[in-house]
């Protein structure tokens, strides 16, 4: 959590490998390796997934085609056999239920003409398909109505396990009613200035960021 | 005292143009003598240099060359084979299966009334040197004469095979569709061996009658292929329809000119183009659409990727006459440039004299969408694959306009293979 401009989205994008950002100081160690040395796709193959604040619309690339390519390249990089068409479709149907995705959206062009809520659901659906070890949700709750929020949060909750972790970037306590965090970190001016249990989020909601900034 | 001898650069082609018995040949030859070779100062040829084409000698095309026919298209067609511009009945399918449609060597039909009446009318010489050259001595070509209400039962597949370099090949087609006729033609050029020093200077005259519908699919995908200078002249009558899609994936110098006259009310022309250019391939799509009468529509969409030392040129003009009220004309050219040496010149033009029209034109030159690229990569799609996906997607909008699904799929696979090789 943290006020506008505190660097939350920057952190999320840096972790996923966005090339517009140059890391001038510091290190990121992920599973014992230097994350900053890796290309975005290599990070994905190692289990990092960024759910975008603004998912990109890509006309001419079908949702399914894209996802199948992404999954199979990830599997290949991890020494697994490619998933056949039938197995892939079975998995799609199963995971689509998690976020109540319409089958019609699957065959459409990637995010093209999707509503804000549908785009966010598609992000969580992709996450469910790719089963990351580290899921980063960059303001996934922004622009969602309460029903969509519940569905998206429900999807995340079903994916949580002892083998994975999530970084959830948000402005609001509201999301944390549905996705209950283990730890809350507060960022300001590019630094984590306070960490605490889930109750910290409630206290922030009540007292504002000025309170922690002091 | 010194004397300067001015040598006509056309001296290399003139000997090959003499003595033809085709209609208008003598007048055309006289025109060849007087018309200059276009230079970069000639507006219509500003970005496509053709002077060097006249620096080498040419030989007459070899019609009897032995060829290996390529595999058939993956769907049913009537195949018509030309070797170095000469019609080859021995290699073509039976062309008499569709009743009421004449499909044959144009040379065999020059004395027939309808041909005499229309030959040379749709593509007049004017100030065009290449048209004059072609008219002075056509090699041969295809006639399609579809009588009232007839329809080709399956697409025609015209296969032009060029076997050697150094030839001047001048195909000359005449497609005539009478009232309500429907014809679909795929035209494909294939090179055997190294044909890169050959010049194919082709003209096709397309005359589309009332309510008739002509679809042309043109594919240029030749490694070591000849130079192509091509012109499609098109006249469309009332409620007639013309559609052409031109796909250029390989070649040395390619010029595709399409010159359309919307001559009857409610006529429609659709021009689509896709190109993926690398190496030193130069492709110039040059279009002119004349809205001569009211209530006609035209739509042009050309998109391509230019990489390495490739050059893409688009010059499209839409001309709306004063009487052509309620015209709707759309034109768009979009390009993706890859690499520092790739070049694109694009020039959309609208000239409108009517006041009740809807027209738009636009052109773009850019790069692949960086945001899209990162999105795909962040999901585990490798950079190379992500680039291919976005490149293919860029051209999908054009492919989606091609109504023949089997042809569209065939093109999509050729484009994928090409992108794979980039």
């Amino acid at each position: 959590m943290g006020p506008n401009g505190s660097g939350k989205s920057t952190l999320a994008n840096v972790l996923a490998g966005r090339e517009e950002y140059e890391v001038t100081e510091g290190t990121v160690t992920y599973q014992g390796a230097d994350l900053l040395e890796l290309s975005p796709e290599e990070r994905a193959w190692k289990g990092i997934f960024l759910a975008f604040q603004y998912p990109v619309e890509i006309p001419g690339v079908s949702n399914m085609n894209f996802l199948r390519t992404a999954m199979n390249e990830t599997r290949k990089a991890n020494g697994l056999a490619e998933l056949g068409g039938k197995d892939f479709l079975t998995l799609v149907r199963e995971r689509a239920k998690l976020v109540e995705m319409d089958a019609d959206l699957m065959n459409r062009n990637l995010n093209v003409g999707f509503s804000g809520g549908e785009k966010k659901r598609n992000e969580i659906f992709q996450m469910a398909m790719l089963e990351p070890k580290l899921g980063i949700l960059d303001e996934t709750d922004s622009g969602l109505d309460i029903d969509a929020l519940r569905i998206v949060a429900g999807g995340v909750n079903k994916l949580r396990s002892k083998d994975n972790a999530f970084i959830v970037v948000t402005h609001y306590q509201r999301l944390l009613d549905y996705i209950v965090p283990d730890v809350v970190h507060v960022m300001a001016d590019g630094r984590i200035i306070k960490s605490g249990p889930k109750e910290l989020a409630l206290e922030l909601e009540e007292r504002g960021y000025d309170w922690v900034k002091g | 005292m010194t004397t300067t001898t001015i040598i006509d650069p056309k001296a290399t082609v003139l000997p090959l143009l003499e003595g033809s018995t085709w209609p208008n040949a003598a007048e055309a030859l006289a025109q060849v003598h007087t018309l200059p070779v276009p230079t970069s100062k000639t507006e219509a040829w500003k970005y496509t240099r053709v002077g060097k084409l006249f620096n080498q000698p040419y030989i007459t095309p070899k019609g009897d060359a032995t060829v290996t026919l390529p595999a058939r298209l993956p769907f049913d067609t009537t195949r018509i084979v030309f070797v170095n511009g000469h019609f080859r009945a021995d290699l073509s399918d039976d062309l008499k299966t569709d009743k009421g449609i004449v499909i044959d060597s144009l040379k065999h039909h020059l004395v027939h009334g309808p041909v005499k009446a229309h030959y040379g009318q749709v593509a007049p010489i004017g100030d065009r040197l290449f048209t004059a050259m072609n008219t002075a001595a056509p090699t041969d070509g295809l006639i399609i004469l579809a009588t009232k209400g007839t329809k080709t039962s399956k697409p025609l597949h015209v296969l032009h095979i060029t076997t050697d370099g150094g030839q001047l090949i001048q195909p000359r087609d005449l497609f005539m569709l009478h009232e309500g006729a429907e014809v679909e033609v795929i035209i494909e050029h294939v090179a055997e061996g190294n044909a890169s020093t050959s010049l194919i200077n082709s003209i096709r005259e397309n005359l589309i009658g009332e309510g008739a519908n002509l679809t042309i699919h043109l594919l240029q995908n030749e490694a070591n292929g000849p130079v192509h200078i091509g012109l499609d002249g098109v006249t469309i009558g009332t409620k007639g329809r013309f559609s052409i899609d031109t796909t250029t994936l390989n070649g040395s110098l390619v010029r595709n000119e399409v010159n359309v006259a919307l001559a009857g009310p409610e006529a429609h022309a659709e021009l689509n183009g896709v190109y993926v250019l690398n190496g030193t391939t130069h492709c110039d799509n040059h279009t002119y659409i004349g809205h001569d009468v009211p209530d006609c529509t035209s739509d042009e969409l050309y998109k391509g990727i230019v990489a390495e030392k490739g050059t893409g040129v688009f010059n499209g003009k839409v001309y709306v006459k004063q009487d052509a009220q309620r015209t709707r004309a759309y034109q768009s050219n979009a390009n993706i440039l890859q690499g520092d040496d790739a070049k694109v010149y694009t020039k959309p033009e609208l000239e409108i004299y009517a006041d009740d029209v809807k027209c738009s034109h636009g052109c773009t030159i850019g790069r692949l969408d960086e945001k899209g690229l990162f999105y795909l990569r962040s999901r585990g799609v490798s950079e190379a694959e992500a680039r291919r996906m976005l490149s293919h997607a860029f051209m999908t909008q054009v492919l989606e306009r091609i109504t023949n699904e089997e042809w569209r799929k065939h093109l999509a696979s050729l484009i994928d293979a090409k992108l794979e090789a980039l």
Side-chain angles (χ1 to χ4, degrees):
Chain A
M1 301 187 80
N4 286 330
S6 59
K8 306 185 297 296
S9 288
T10 301
L11 176 65
N13 280 294
V14 163
L15 291 177
R18 188 168 216 133
E19 283 161 346
E20 289 99 310
Y21 294 96
E22 192 195 338
V23 178
T24 53
E25 254 182 86
T27 56
V28 182
T29 307
Y30 173 76
Q31 294 184 325
D34 180 0
L35 191 70
L36 301 179
E37 289 291 302
L38 304 176
S39 68
E41 57 267 35
E42 286 169 327
R43 299 179 198 205
W45 299 336
K46 287 184 176 296
I48 288 183
F49 182 98
L50 171 66
F52 283 55
Q53 185 177 0
Y54 304 107
V56 183
E57 294 189 13
I58 306 185
V61 172
S62 93
N63 219 2
M64 292 293 262
N65 242 342
F66 145 71
L67 197 52
R68 202 173 156 194
T69 307
M71 276 199 81
N72 280 334
E73 286 210 34
T74 304
R75 290 178 68 92
K76 218 165 70 191
N78 285 292
L80 298 169
E82 292 195 0
L83 212 55
K86 213 177 137 204
D87 292 341
F88 175 73
L89 284 178
T90 309
L91 193 66
V92 163
R93 271 195 289 274
E94 183 199 311
R95 299 291 151 92
K97 279 189 204 142
L98 280 182
V99 285
E100 300 172 32
M101 273 271 284
D102 215 336
D104 167 57
L105 292 180
M106 304 286 175
N107 294 315
R108 294 240 298 265
N109 282 333
L110 187 47
N111 292 327
V112 177
F114 285 34
S115 71
E118 285 169 340
K119 281 180 186 166
K120 295 296 174 78
R121 264 195 254 184
N122 197 23
E123 294 292 287
I124 304 305
F125 164 66
Q126 290 172 32
M127 193 165 81
M129 290 292 289
L130 294 164
E131 299 181 322
K133 292 198 178 68
L134 175 62
I136 305 162
L137 279 63
D138 187 10
E139 296 197 27
T140 299
D141 53 336
S142 68
L144 288 188
D145 64 31
I146 203 76
D147 290 334
L149 184 67
R150 199 177 295 132
I151 291 165
V152 164
V156 175
N157 285 331
K158 281 176 208 149
L159 294 172
R160 283 177 86 167
S161 79
K162 64 177 175 47
D163 299 321
N164 59 26
F166 291 90
I167 298 172
V168 179
V169 173
T170 185
H171 277 287
Y172 306 109
Q173 156 63 25
R174 188 179 73 154
L175 177 68
L176 305 181
D177 289 342
Y178 298 96
I179 302 174
V180 180
D182 300 311
V183 186
V184 174
H185 298 288
V186 182
M187 260 188 116
D189 298 327
R191 293 174 177 281
I192 291 174
I193 53 165
K194 196 171 175 66
S195 300
K198 61 179 192 244
E199 289 76 17
L200 176 57
L202 288 168
E203 206 164 351
L204 277 172
E205 185 90 342
E206 214 171 281
R207 305 174 69 170
Y209 286 113
D210 286 340
W211 161 65
V212 272
K213 277 166 137 182
Chain B
M1 185 180 150
T2 56
T3 54
T4 312
T5 320
I6 296 166
I7 299 169
D8 184 351
K10 290 164 298 195
T12 50
V13 297
L14 279 166
L16 298 174
L17 305 178
E18 279 159 17
S20 172
T21 55
W22 281 63
N24 318 336
E27 299 91 314
L29 182 61
Q31 295 271 69
V32 176
H33 278 280
T34 48
L35 288 169
V37 174
T39 66
S40 57
K41 292 195 180 85
T42 317
E43 190 56 33
W45 292 89
K46 196 168 177 182
Y47 302 108
T48 299
R49 305 284 177 91
V50 288
K52 59 179 182 285
L53 302 180
F54 296 88
N55 292 344
Q56 64 165 74
Y58 288 96
I59 54 168
T60 49
K62 304 169 182 173
D64 54 358
T66 311
V67 293
T68 317
L69 287 176
R72 304 218 41 144
L73 290 174
F75 51 92
D76 201 16
T77 59
T78 302
R79 187 158 77 174
I80 305 154
V81 180
F82 286 83
V83 174
N84 298 322
H86 288 279
F87 175 64
R88 290 284 292 266
D90 59 322
L91 303 175
S92 301
D93 292 344
D94 176 14
L95 304 180
K96 295 199 167 76
T97 53
D98 284 325
K99 213 170 154 244
I101 306 182
V102 175
I103 303 166
D104 199 357
S105 144
L106 176 57
K107 205 191 259 181
H108 297 160
H109 294 265
L110 292 174
V111 292
H112 293 172
V115 177
K116 268 176 140 176
H118 296 288
Y119 178 87
Q121 300 295 305
V122 187
I125 292 171
D127 59 356
R128 298 160 189 270
L129 173 65
F130 288 101
T131 302
M133 280 166 56
N134 179 293
T135 309
T139 311
D140 194 0
L142 182 67
I143 178 169
I144 301 176
L145 206 164
T147 53
K148 186 175 169 181
T150 53
K151 189 180 171 189
T152 43
S153 54
K154 51 189 171 183
L156 308 177
H157 177 205
V158 184
L159 186 64
H160 279 277
I161 304 175
T162 311
T163 61
D164 290 282
Q167 306 177 82
L168 174 63
I169 301 167
Q170 307 208 88
R172 179 89 188 201
D173 300 334
L174 178 62
F175 296 176
M176 291 171 64
L177 278 64
H178 287 272
E179 194 182 330
E182 272 183 57
V183 171
E184 180 175 8
V185 193
I186 293 163
I187 299 167
E188 183 179 11
H189 288 269
V190 173
E192 265 191 15
N194 190 346
S196 59
T197 52
S198 282
L199 166 59
I200 299 189
N201 174 32
S202 58
I203 290 181
R204 186 165 28 253
E205 295 186 278
N206 305 281
L207 197 61
I208 300 167
E210 189 175 333
N213 187 343
L214 173 62
T215 303
I216 295 178
H217 311 288
L218 184 59
L219 174 62
Q220 297 158 330
N221 186 19
E222 308 153 278
N224 296 312
V227 170
H228 282 272
I229 306 286
L231 169 70
D232 263 286
V234 189
T235 300
I236 314 174
T238 305
K239 291 185 180 171
R241 190 178 185 283
F242 171 73
S243 158
I244 187 166
D245 50 87
T246 304
T247 306
T248 310
L249 303 177
N250 224 326
S252 52
L253 189 163
V254 178
R255 159 94 162 191
N256 301 310
E257 188 165 349
V258 185
N259 196 336
V260 180
L262 294 155
E266 294 179 55
H268 176 70
E270 188 167 313
L271 279 57
N272 297 309
V274 168
Y275 41 93
V276 182
L277 312 174
N278 68 332
T280 55
T281 300
H282 177 112
C283 174
D284 177 353
N285 284 302
H286 195 98
T287 69
Y288 174 91
I289 297 188
H291 281 263
D292 298 343
V293 295
D295 298 305
C296 292
T297 49
S298 65
D299 200 345
E300 285 179 82
L301 181 64
Y302 284 78
K303 287 183 109 169
I305 294 176
V306 185
E308 297 171 16
K309 292 185 173 173
T311 305
V313 182
F314 176 81
N315 188 340
K317 184 166 187 172
V318 175
Y319 189 100
V320 183
K321 280 194 182 166
Q322 200 170 357
D323 292 342
Q325 298 296 1
R326 297 171 302 280
T327 285
R328 279 165 187 261
Y330 306 106
Q331 183 194 73
S332 170
N333 172 235
N335 300 279
I336 285 183
L337 270 180
Q338 286 185 3
D340 295 339
D341 298 321
K343 291 191 200 80
V344 167
Y345 304 95
T346 176
K347 187 176 162 206
E349 289 177 82
L350 279 178
E351 209 170 321
I352 304 172
Y353 297 96
D355 52 17
D356 178 14
V357 301
K358 270 190 187 161
C359 295
S360 71
H361 68 166
C363 63
T364 59
I365 303 173
R367 293 191 301 177
L368 283 180
D369 176 26
E370 292 291 331
K371 284 199 179 96
L373 211 51
F374 176 64
Y375 188 79
L376 296 176
R377 294 176 70 193
S378 78
R379 298 295 182 253
V381 180
S382 64
E383 185 180 1
E385 182 60 31
R387 285 189 181 278
R388 270 198 292 280
M389 283 173 103
L390 290 180
S391 300
H392 193 107
F394 176 71
M395 290 174 288
T396 297
Q397 193 193 356
V398 187
L399 293 180
E400 279 170 353
R401 293 183 170 209
I402 296 171
T403 47
N404 183 332
E405 199 182 328
E406 289 164 312
W407 180 246
R408 189 173 63 225
K409 276 189 197 156
H410 184 62
L411 284 183
S413 68
L414 292 177
I415 289 171
D416 272 341
K418 177 73 187 180
L419 292 172
E420 195 94 25
L422 274 193

